[in-house]
Amino acid sequence: MNGISTRTLRFGDKCDTAAAAGTNGMVVFGTGIDCYFSHRPMFSSPYDIQVLLDIELDERGRRALGADRRIGFGGIHCFDPEEFAVAELDPRRERPRTAFRGTLIRGHRERGWVPIAKNVLATVRAVVSFAQLDPHRHRGGELLTHLCFGRAGRLYLAHRIGRRPSFDQIVVARLIPGTVTDMLGAPLPIDVRDLEFERAQPIILGRREFTGQRLRTGEIAVAAFHATASAGETDGFLAEIAVERQVYLEVADLA
C-alpha cells in the first residue's frame, strides 16, 4: 500500500492533500493486444474504490511483461504505482489522471514479489469501470453481480464488489454462439463473436451450472445484459457465458 489517508474520498473529490494519496497496487492482465489494470480495493479509505482501466504500457513495460510470459511464468503480475489518490482516476472529474508511472512486478507485493521493470509509464486509454465501495449497501440491492468488458473474442468478468464481506475476482470468459435471446427467451440474430465492451457492462448471472457468485473454470451461466450499442438492442438480452480461466482471486483484503 502507498500513503495514509486522513479522510474518506467521495466521487468528484479533488485530491488536495498529500495525506489523501494512496493506491493498493493493481493487477495486470490481458494479451499482447490488450492490457488491463484492476485496482486492488479494500473497504478502508483511500483504497475503497473498484477501478478497471484499459492501459497502454510503454515499450519497456510491454517488453518486460512479454518476456516474463514467454519464459513460462503463469502467475500474477501487478503494477505498483507512484503515490497518488486513486480517486484522481474518476472520469467524472474535471481533469482526471490519464497516466502514471510505477514498477511492474511478478507476484503480489505483500506476499512475495520480484520487480521486472521500474519507472514504467502506464497511459489510460479508457476507464472501464469506476465505483466507490459501500460496506453498508443493502444485500437486496446487489442484483447486478458482475462486470463484463473486453474486446471481440476476448471478454473478462469481474465480480462487482458489494457489501462487506466480499471478494475480488477476475476471469476470462466467452459468450456462446447461438444462445442470445431477448428477455422473454425469443432468439435474437446477434453474433456474440462481434460483441465488445469498452466500458464495463453490469450483468446478472444465473441458472445453468452457475453455483454462486464465485466463478469456477468450466462453469456456464446465463448472463442478463442491459442494452448496448454494439448489440443494437434497446431492451437488453440474455446469453450463455462460459468461464475459461481465472485471472485473479482475493478474499482476505475484503473480509
Side-chain angles (χ1 to χ4, degrees), residues 150-155 173-180 188-197 225 230-231 237 239-241 244:
R151 293 174 173 79
R154 186 73 171 186
L155 296 179
R174 175 179 56 87
L175 288 169
I176 301 175
T179 65
V180 182
L188 293 175
I190 297 175
D191 189 345
V192 295
R193 293 170 296 184
D194 296 331
L195 293 184
E196 56 184 25
F197 306 101
F225 286 81
S230 59
F237 64 95
E240 291 187 4
I241 193 164
E244 296 190 330

Side-chain angles (χ1 to χ4, degrees), residues 157 171-177 179 204-212 214-223 239-244:
L157 296 180
V171 301
V172 179
R174 175 179 56 87
L175 288 169
I176 301 175
T179 65
I204 305 171
L205 294 184
R207 297 188 299 173
R208 282 295 299 271
E209 299 170 19
F210 183 50
T211 56
R214 197 175 301 182
L215 297 170
R216 300 177 300 173
T217 299
E219 194 165 23
I220 296 175
V222 175
E240 291 187 4
I241 193 164
V243 178
E244 296 190 330

Side-chain angles (χ1 to χ4, degrees), residues 6-245:
T6 58
R7 64 183 179 90
T8 299
L9 296 173
R10 300 298 176 189
F11 289 141
D13 280 358
K14 293 183 179 180
C15 181
D16 51 8
T17 66
T23 63
N24 198 24
M26 301 182 180
V27 179
V28 180
F29 60 102
T31 66
I33 299 175
D34 54 35
C35 181
Y36 294 98
F37 282 7
S38 175
H39 176 244
R40 293 171 37 233
M42 302 175 71
F43 282 109
S44 58
S45 176
Y47 315 110
D48 54 345
I49 301 177
Q50 184 176 20
V51 185
L52 295 166
L53 303 171
D54 184 350
I55 290 290
E56 181 176 356
L57 292 175
D58 64 15
E59 185 176 359
R60 292 178 62 253
R62 291 194 302 271
R63 286 185 175 182
L65 190 60
D68 219 33
R69 288 171 174 167
R70 284 194 298 273
I71 64 174
F73 179 72
I76 187 176
H77 287 95
C78 288
F79 192 82
D80 188 28
E82 63 190 1
E83 185 173 295
F84 69 92
V86 68
E88 294 177 28
L89 295 166
D90 188 343
R92 292 169 293 186
R93 292 171 63 96
E94 183 178 352
R95 294 181 180 178
R97 177 179 283 269
T98 58
F100 47 90
R101 291 185 178 274
T103 300
L104 189 62
I105 65 176
R106 176 198 294 176
H108 195 297
R109 188 171 181 85
E110 286 80 25
R111 300 166 193 170
W113 60 286
V114 176
I116 61 173
K118 297 182 178 180
N119 196 30
V120 173
L121 178 64
T123 301
V124 179
R125 291 189 289 210
V127 178
V128 177
S129 181
F130 185 99
Q132 186 149 19
L133 305 188
D134 180 2
H136 307 296
R137 181 182 298 160
H138 188 269
R139 187 174 297 277
E142 296 180 6
L143 290 178
L144 299 173
T145 60
H146 290 79
L147 302 168
C148 181
F149 60 98
R151 293 174 173 79
R154 186 73 171 186
L155 296 179
Y156 301 92
L157 296 180
H159 179 235
R160 186 171 179 265
I161 299 172
R163 62 174 291 174
R164 191 174 195 171
S166 189
F167 62 93
D168 191 5
Q169 184 182 35
I170 301 166
V171 301
V172 179
R174 175 179 56 87
L175 288 169
I176 301 175
T179 65
V180 182
T181 73
D182 65 17
M183 292 300 184
L184 297 178
L188 293 175
I190 297 175
D191 189 345
V192 295
R193 293 170 296 184
D194 296 331
L195 293 184
E196 56 184 25
F197 306 101
E198 180 180 346
R199 300 294 190 276
Q201 298 292 309
I203 63 173
I204 305 171
L205 294 184
R207 297 188 299 173
R208 282 295 299 271
E209 299 170 19
F210 183 50
T211 56
Q213 286 191 328
R214 197 175 301 182
L215 297 170
R216 300 177 300 173
T217 299
E219 194 165 23
I220 296 175
V222 175
F225 286 81
H226 288 295
T228 64
S230 59
E233 294 299 315
T234 58
D235 297 321
F237 64 95
L238 304 174
E240 291 187 4
I241 193 164
V243 178
E244 296 190 330
R245 179 173 59 87

